[in-house]
């Protein structure tokens, strides 16, 4: 994963993005997913006006993208190191994520001996916002499960 697809860059790779561009990357085009996306935007921007986290800026997003590009340079030696992890790992993703394709989640989990994968349906990069209750229950079950 060395960078993002052109459609992702077109949508969120600019200093100013619109709610529709955000929705196009973080949610699928289905009515249910878009509704979940709109509810997410309402929680992010409309739920409270005081004591909010500081919004990210363009420099922050550029630094994140640079980190993704650097991290995504193929390095098989580093990937092999994942097999040394001895703790359980929960790998989660949306089935239509254009930023981190689901097959990368399966690849990652295949390299970690005790990994468990959950791919959430009809969702993209915002799967944990769209499926927040199910995701929270899955994380709770994972953390409370056998070691």
């Amino acid at each position: 994963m060395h960078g993002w697809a052109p459609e992702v860059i077109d949508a969120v790779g600019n200093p100013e993005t619109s709610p529709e561009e955000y929705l196009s990357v973080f949610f699928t085009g289905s009515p249910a997913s878009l509704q979940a996306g709109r509810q997410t935007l309402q929680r992010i921007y409309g739920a409270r006006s005081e004591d909010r986290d500081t919004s990210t800026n363009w420099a922050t997003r550029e630094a994140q993208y640079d980190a993704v590009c650097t991290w995504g340079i193929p390095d098989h030696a580093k990937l092999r190191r994942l097999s040394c992890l001895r703790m359980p790992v929960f790998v989660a993703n949306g089935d239509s994520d254009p930023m981190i394709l689901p097959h990368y989640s399966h690849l990652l989990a295949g390299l970690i001996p005790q990994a468990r994968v959950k791919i959430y349906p009809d969702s993209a990069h915002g799967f944990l916002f769209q499926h927040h209750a199910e995701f929270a229950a899955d994380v709770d079950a994972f953390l409370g499960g056998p070691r």
Side-chain angles (χ1 to χ4, degrees):
M1 189 181 111
H2 186 61
W4 291 323
E7 62 270 12
V8 173
I9 294 294
D10 289 346
V12 295
N14 303 302
E16 299 296 325
T17 59
S18 70
E20 279 67 37
E21 289 167 323
Y22 169 82
L23 290 174
S24 74
V25 172
F26 282 74
F27 300 88
T28 71
S30 78
S33 187
L34 289 173
Q35 177 63 25
R38 288 184 193 95
Q39 290 170 347
T40 297
L41 288 172
Q42 180 60 35
R43 285 192 303 272
I44 292 171
Y45 297 107
R48 66 178 191 215
S49 58
E50 294 179 18
D51 196 29
R52 293 179 48 86
D53 291 338
T54 303
S55 295
T56 61
N57 59 29
W58 180 237
T60 302
R61 292 183 8 231
E62 282 183 309
Q64 179 188 14
Y65 184 70
D66 290 345
V68 166
C69 289
T70 300
W71 178 85
I73 296 170
D75 186 331
H76 296 288
K78 288 180 182 175
L79 287 174
R80 282 197 307 271
R81 292 175 60 197
L82 293 171
S83 67
C84 295
L85 295 176
R86 296 294 171 231
M87 74 288 288
V89 175
F90 184 58
V91 179
N93 201 352
D95 69 350
S96 299
D97 188 338
M99 294 179 90
I100 301 174
L101 302 177
H103 73 266
Y104 290 131
S105 295
H106 289 287
L107 172 64
L108 177 66
L111 296 169
I112 301 171
Q114 295 186 64
R116 292 180 227 161
V117 180
K118 174 79 182 260
I119 305 295
Y120 293 83
D122 185 32
S123 59
H125 201 64
F127 72 91
L128 63 110
F129 305 124
Q130 180 175 342
H131 296 283
H132 52 89
E134 182 180 0
F135 179 73
D138 290 341
V139 169
D140 189 53
F142 173 78
L143 293 174
R147 299 277 171 224

